[in-house]
Amino acid sequence: MTAPTTAAPAWAPYGDASTDWATLGADTMLAREPVMNPHDKWEYEDGLMLGGVLAVHRLTGDPRYLEYVRRNLDHFVRPDGSIHAYRYDELNLDHVNNGKVVLDLYDETGEERYRKAADLLFDQLRHQPRLEAGTFWHKKIYPYQTWLDGLYMGSVFYARYCATFGREDLFDDVALQFTSAYDLTLDPASGLCRHAYDESRSMPWADPRTGWSPHVWLRALGWFAMAMTDVLEHLPETLPQRATILGNLRSLLGAVRGVADARTGLWYQVPDQGGRPLNYLEASGSLMILAAVAKGLRLGYLDDDWAGHLDHAWGSATREFLSLTDRGWVNVNKVCQVAGLGGAAGRDGSYAYYMSEPIVANDHKGVGPFLLLAAEMRRRRTG
């Protein structure tokens, strides 16, 4: 008697690296989330997502994407330039991130409401408390602390505002935000930057000698890599610190590449401890790093030897992180919902802490970099 054979299961394909993920992803947002924030909150991850939709708009010229961005942002930015649900008094860098989309719409329309809203967010930065090194505090409720996330949230907008409205006198200070944050968080032994730094050494999570948080966190590295890549576009090439930022970007990404998963080219939630139990390939940070790499290659910031890693890792990302529903909508899976330090929950920055945060799908912190990366990869493919 011949033993029965078991055929391999025939799963329907979800797509691959050649799929037009940029259009699928943007169309998904229009259909699945016509209102970007049903909780009526001014939240940084929405600006990240809208920036991704705008990247697809610039690639395709499809006016539906621009209309989606404008309709959602105009819910918050009033005709007089005030911003619904924004709290200036919190002095929170996260609240500034959406300002980049405000500037996008100002560039598109020239409408004064966007200029006034940008002025309001810029004024917050002019009054943001600082560490002794000159680096912005992350939030008023997190005194004497810099988090890598904050460079993407506040300082890219800072650079772009200065470039747009002729504040060349502040470019040195913009650059200082990046160079000081790198210096304060860099672990020379690994070449990687820690999630955060506490100047006061008073936080329970802070090393009493260095002020560092205990671990490297993938999404913090992703925020920082994207921030450095973006800010280089807005700083004049004659600014001496620009070369320093470019060198820091190359060094950091080189160290990040050194801890990539050998099979996929992607990265773990705690990226320098890939073999440790419970660690997992995380979507948002991996997509952020790849988006920074793709843009860096396009603009000549990175050497061409990154190209093979990018193409391999993008193919892996489509298999590890992306799926399509029966309606043809894109799901971005394996996203760490949130991670921070201190606060009411007493987040201690331990390995166990980073493993304990929920893993979700379709959080805008994953959707945004997916759209940015998908637009870059389509550009690479079509020229």
Side-chain angles (χ1 to χ4, degrees), residues 148 151 174-188 190-193 220-232 235 240-257 289 292-293 301-302 306:
L148 293 182
L151 280 299
V174 171
L176 176 66
Q177 301 306 313
F178 287 86
T179 57
S180 62
Y182 182 84
D183 291 342
L184 292 171
T185 60
L186 177 66
D187 178 357
S190 67
L192 299 169
C193 292
L221 295 174
W223 288 124
F224 198 26
M226 288 201 305
M228 286 193 283
T229 305
D230 287 352
V231 81
L232 290 170
L235 296 177
Q241 301 95 314
R242 185 181 184 277
T244 302
I245 295 170
L246 177 57
N248 291 345
L249 172 65
R250 290 170 174 167
S251 295
L252 180 62
L253 285 176
V256 168
R257 185 174 175 180
I289 290 168
V293 168
Y301 302 154
L302 301 178
W306 264 105

Side-chain angles (χ1 to χ4, degrees), residues 243-312:
T244 302
I245 295 170
L246 177 57
N248 291 345
L249 172 65
R250 290 170 174 167
S251 295
L252 180 62
L253 285 176
V256 168
R257 185 174 175 180
V259 295
D261 174 57
R263 177 180 63 87
T264 64
L266 302 170
W267 289 272
Y268 284 85
Q269 165 80 336
V270 176
D272 57 346
Q273 299 188 25
R276 194 167 173 180
L278 298 181
N279 214 352
Y280 61 96
L281 295 175
E282 198 277 331
S284 67
S286 292
L287 296 169
M288 287 177 178
I289 290 168
L290 294 175
V293 168
K295 183 173 181 178
L297 281 169
R298 173 168 58 86
L299 297 178
Y301 302 154
L302 301 178
D303 294 335
D304 288 342
D305 65 356
W306 264 105
H309 186 106
L310 172 64
D311 291 338
H312 170 64

Side-chain angles (χ1 to χ4, degrees), residues 131-182:
L131 280 66
E132 288 184 5
T135 326
F136 292 140
W137 288 8
H138 191 62
K139 303 179 185 181
K140 185 168 70 173
I141 63 169
Y142 297 145
Y144 309 104
Q145 299 168 42
T146 184
W147 298 17
L148 293 182
D149 322 23
L151 280 299
Y152 190 83
M153 304 305 166
S155 296
V156 175
F157 168 81
Y158 191 16
R160 187 167 167 196
Y161 181 98
C162 291
T164 301
F165 299 117
R167 292 303 307 267
E168 292 86 356
D169 57 307
L170 294 174
F171 280 139
D172 284 341
D173 190 50
V174 171
L176 176 66
Q177 301 306 313
F178 287 86
T179 57
S180 62
Y182 182 84

Side-chain angles (χ1 to χ4, degrees), residues 44-230:
Y44 66 88
E45 53 261 54
D46 297 333
L48 176 64
M49 180 275 292
L50 292 178
V53 174
L54 279 172
V56 182
H57 165 68
R58 295 187 189 102
L59 186 69
T60 64
D62 192 324
R64 296 179 303 133
Y65 304 146
L66 179 61
E67 192 279 330
Y68 173 82
V69 172
R70 185 169 184 178
R71 174 167 45 81
N72 273 286
L73 202 70
D74 282 358
H75 174 75
F76 292 93
V77 178
R78 296 167 173 142
D80 65 357
S82 61
I83 301 173
H84 170 64
Y86 163 67
R87 290 285 303 276
Y88 181 108
D89 61 305
E90 291 181 353
L91 295 172
N92 182 345
L93 289 182
D94 290 346
H95 294 338
V96 180
N97 185 57
N98 296 350
K100 288 173 276 189
V101 183
V102 171
L103 289 174
D104 285 324
L105 291 182
Y106 179 75
D107 290 344
E108 287 280 349
T109 69
E111 284 194 19
E112 196 64 16
R113 72 155 72 186
Y114 304 123
R115 167 69 187 259
K116 291 178 178 177
D119 288 344
L120 177 62
L121 297 171
F122 175 72
D123 190 66
Q124 177 191 318
L125 294 182
R126 298 298 287 156
H127 293 88
Q128 193 77 11
R130 295 170 180 248
L131 280 66
E132 288 184 5
T135 326
F136 292 140
W137 288 8
H138 191 62
K139 303 179 185 181
K140 185 168 70 173
I141 63 169
Y142 297 145
Y144 309 104
Q145 299 168 42
T146 184
W147 298 17
L148 293 182
D149 322 23
L151 280 299
Y152 190 83
M153 304 305 166
S155 296
V156 175
F157 168 81
Y158 191 16
R160 187 167 167 196
Y161 181 98
C162 291
T164 301
F165 299 117
R167 292 303 307 267
E168 292 86 356
D169 57 307
L170 294 174
F171 280 139
D172 284 341
D173 190 50
V174 171
L176 176 66
Q177 301 306 313
F178 287 86
T179 57
S180 62
Y182 182 84
D183 291 342
L184 292 171
T185 60
L186 177 66
D187 178 357
S190 67
L192 299 169
C193 292
R194 299 296 179 97
H195 185 172
Y197 166 82
D198 172 23
E199 177 182 72
S200 71
R201 273 70 164 175
S202 64
M203 291 293 101
W205 52 259
D207 184 286
R209 183 180 61 87
T210 64
W212 293 339
S213 58
H215 284 285
V216 174
W217 177 45
L218 177 61
R219 191 155 71 223
L221 295 174
W223 288 124
F224 198 26
M226 288 201 305
M228 286 193 283
T229 305
D230 287 352

